[in-house]
Amino acid sequence: MNRKTYKIDEVAQALGLGKTTIHKLIREGELQKIKLGRSTLILAESVDSLLQRHAV
């Protein structure tokens, strides 16, 4: 299985949000994360889903 992932700072920059907000979205279940060692990665599909839910 090959899933596209992003680092937290990449998602924050792409969405124009702070890293604290990204962590909050993870805690609230709005974004899905994968822990790989000490790295936290965000699933690209969860970013796409977040954008679709909040599209105007």
Side-chain angles (χ1 to χ4, degrees), residues 1-7 10 31-36 41-46 48:
M1 180 184 318
N2 232 352
R3 287 184 155 177
K4 176 75 174 159
T5 59
Y6 301 106
K7 294 180 181 178
E10 292 173 323
L31 290 172
Q32 294 179 316
K33 71 175 181 177
I34 294 175
K35 286 291 286 180
L36 188 60
L41 303 172
I42 308 298
L43 293 173
E45 59 196 41
S46 73
D48 293 340

Side-chain angles (χ1 to χ4, degrees), residues 22-37:
I22 300 301
H23 284 286
K24 179 183 174 200
L25 291 170
I26 292 169
R27 281 192 311 275
E28 293 173 348
E30 293 283 328
L31 290 172
Q32 294 179 316
K33 71 175 181 177
I34 294 175
K35 286 291 286 180
L36 188 60

